[in-house]
Each structure stands twice: as structure tokens, then as C-alpha cells.
Amino acid sequence: MHINGKTTLFGILGNPVEHSLSPIMHNAAFTHLGLNNVYVPMAPKDLGAALSGLKSIGFRGVSVTVPFKEEVIPYLDSIDATARAIGAVNTLTFTKLSDGSIAVQGTNTDWIGSNAALAQVTELHGASALVLGAGGAAKAVAFGLQKVGATVVIANRTKAKAVALGKELHCAALGLDEIDDVGAEILINTTTVGMAPNINHCPVAPHLLSQYKVVMDIVYAPLETKLLHEAKACGCAVIDGLDMLLFQGAEQFRIWTGHTAPMEVMRKALVTALG
Ligand code: NAP
């Protein structure tokens, strides 16, 4: 990568952002395709001021992560229908208009990433899925599943949050302690349970796992969570959190550059970074 006066700017807004793997993934792809682009991490204190700055500096595309995915929406010139339905934006595209002003458009690629990760091993249309968690990621994952015709049940530690999300998505909702007899084919963990440093924690009692055909954990540090380790032992097909990260990033890359993302290059960069 040779940064010069013609380099096009991309980045990620989050706070904290120093652990984000997106700079590694996108810069590896830019370098591989010989694109004169660079992707940098940014942790603004004032999101509105940061967006004005990015516009005037000439940024072309920006990822948005925690805690800004919802907060960013009022600052945007437009937001697409899926991001509006999810209520969260993870991708910004900056476009120069004919009058010289810059328009910022928001979209969401998280649901595309989770669907693509799951679709590698199973048909989603007509499938049934239990989604653990009721936070931002759960909403994107559940929305994506419903969009392709899967039936979703939400289960969360704080049941009231599961019920609220269930109402929004018109699906069943349970407490995390009520999932013994759900009987879904696919299990997806979108809670933070099992994430480093609490790597010995599992959101589901291991003896319940054999009922699922596919188990996906969107936690990616560690890559093999306790949940995936136990699910593998039960004979389930397993998908780790790297795939969702990779596929949502590949869609961002396509939106921003018009190029098909070099998936294997991006995957290798992520795996190397995760050790
Ligand atoms: P969030 O909005 O803060 O939601 C966190 C969820 O975890 C809530 O449902 C919370 O339940 C649950 N939780 C936390 N501690 C728990 C515990 N001890 N026992 C049971 N449940 C617990 O976070 P998020 O943005 O949805 O992200 C969730 C995870 O997904 C993070 O690990 C994030 O890194 C990962 N993620 C991965 C990708 C990817 O591309 N692979 C993309 C997005 C997010 P309560 O409501 O009861 O607190």
C-alpha cells in the first residue's frame, strides 16, 4: 500500500475501535486488488462533528460499529429500507452530488453477512431458527432470517427484551432459561457469552445441542467458542463468527468499490490477526 495524494479514504467509526478487525480485512483487500485506498479506525467523541469532518475531508465509505449504529441515523441524508427496518446502520457511502455537496447514505450489511454465513451449510427458506440474544446483532440476524423465509424464535437472558424484539419482528420470544423444547433446526448465538476472556462460558446447556442441525456463534474471539466446541462434539455443523464478519465486510467492499471482494485474501488476513 502506497499512500499518496490520490489515495481514497475509508474507515470505521466506533468506540472503542482499537480491537476492530475491519481495517485489517479491508486493507488486505485493497492491497490485493491494487486499489489506491486506505481504511482507518476512528473513535470520535462527537459523532455529528466527525461526520461533517469525514464529508469535508472526502471519505468515500465508512463502517459503523458499537455504539454508533443507531445514533448515526439522524445524521444521514438517506437510509435504505432494510437498515430502516432493522433500525441500525453499519455502512455509510459518501456521494458527491452535481451541486458539489456530499450526500451520506446508510445501509446495513450485518444481516447479509449472517445469512451468507449460514447459507454455506444449510437452506434458510422454510428453516426454523432459535436466536439467542436481543441486542443489535440479534435484530439484524433475526431480520435476515425472516427476510429469506425462515421462522425465528428469540431467547434472551432479560426476557422483557426478547418479548419487545419479538413484538417488533412478529415472532415468538422466550427467556434464555426456557429453550429446552424449542425444536429449531438452527441455533445462533448473538449474545456476548463465551467471548474472551470468559471463554469457558456457554449460553446453552451442552446436552441440548444435539437437537440442532446447525450452530452458529457470531462471537469471533475466540474463533472456536465453548458453544461451537460442544456443538461439534454433538455432530452439529458449526459456523464461527469470522464468517459473518467476512461476508458483511465483503458486501461493504462491493458497495464501495464495485469490485467483488477477494474473500480468501480477507479471510486469511482475519485468521492471521486472530492468531
Ligand atoms: P448488545 O446489543 O450489547 O447485546 C448483548 C446481548 O448479549 C444481549 O442480548 C444480552 O442480554 C446478552 N448477554 C450479555 N451478557 C450475557 C450473559 N452473561 N448471559 C446471557 N446473555 C448475556 O451487543 P451486540 O451488538 O448485539 O453484539 C453481541 C455480540 O455479537 C458481540 O460479541 C459482538 O462482538 C458480536 N458481533 C459479531 C458480529 C460478526 O460479524 N461476527 C457482528 C456484530 C456483533 P441482556 O439483554 O439480558 O443483557
Side-chain angles (χ1 to χ4, degrees):
M1 179 178 294
H2 300 289
I3 295 175
N4 57 29
K6 291 181 181 166
T7 301
T8 304
L9 303 171
F10 296 84
I12 180 165
L13 292 167
N15 202 348
V17 79
E18 61 262 33
H19 301 299
S20 172
L21 296 173
S22 293
I24 287 163
M25 172 171 70
H26 283 294
N27 285 322
F30 292 152
T31 302
H32 179 76
L33 292 182
L35 301 174
N36 189 1
N37 297 340
V38 66
Y39 183 108
V40 294
M42 298 173 282
K45 290 209 166 56
D46 179 336
L47 181 62
L51 283 165
S52 301
L54 297 178
K55 269 186 178 185
S56 73
I57 290 167
F59 269 70
R60 187 74 58 79
V62 166
S63 310
V64 183
T65 189
V66 179
F68 300 130
K69 285 185 182 183
E70 287 106 26
E71 195 183 329
V72 75
I73 292 173
Y75 296 104
L76 306 180
D77 296 294
S78 63
I79 167 170
D80 71 8
T82 46
R84 188 166 296 290
I86 295 168
V89 160
N90 79 328
T91 308
L92 306 182
T93 306
F94 297 68
T95 309
K96 195 168 191 172
L97 304 179
S98 51
D99 65 0
S101 64
I102 306 288
V104 189
Q105 201 228 350
T107 189
N108 189 309
T109 66
D110 282 334
W111 68 276
I112 295 174
S114 62
N115 273 6
L118 286 164
Q120 296 176 110
V121 301
T122 191
E123 169 65 43
L124 294 177
H125 181 80
S128 55
L130 172 60
V131 176
L132 307 179
K139 194 167 173 189
V141 169
F143 173 89
L145 285 164
Q146 289 185 325
K147 197 165 165 68
V148 293
T151 306
V152 175
V153 177
I154 307 276
N156 194 45
R157 174 180 64 176
T158 309
K159 187 174 174 180
K161 283 196 203 165
V163 170
L165 184 54
K167 259 193 193 141
E168 241 182 276
L169 297 175
H170 306 289
C171 66
L174 302 167
L176 204 50
D177 52 356
E178 298 174 315
I179 61 171
D180 292 19
D181 304 316
V182 170
E185 299 158 273
I186 304 170
L187 175 74
I188 303 152
N189 177 45
T190 76
T191 77
T192 51
V193 177
M195 196 163 87
N198 301 313
I199 59 169
N200 288 320
H201 294 194
C202 187
V204 179
H207 74 272
L208 295 175
L209 292 172
S210 54
Q211 62 188 297
Y212 299 98
K213 203 171 88 182
V214 177
V215 175
M216 177 161 90
D217 199 335
I218 74 164
V219 168
Y220 52 77
L223 263 187
E224 188 180 84
T225 56
K226 170 103 168 149
L227 171 67
L228 293 189
H229 182 79
E230 298 289 352
K232 231 186 229 173
C234 290
C236 314
V238 299
I239 307 162
D240 63 41
L242 190 142
D243 280 337
M244 177 174 166
L245 182 69
L246 180 64
F247 283 111
Q248 67 77 29
E251 179 61 8
Q252 292 183 321
F253 191 89
R254 187 194 65 73
I255 291 169
W256 291 332
T257 69
H259 290 276
T260 302
M263 300 286 285
E264 281 319 307
V265 170
M266 292 161 85
R267 182 188 299 276
K268 199 172 160 203
L270 288 173
V271 171
T272 305
L274 285 166

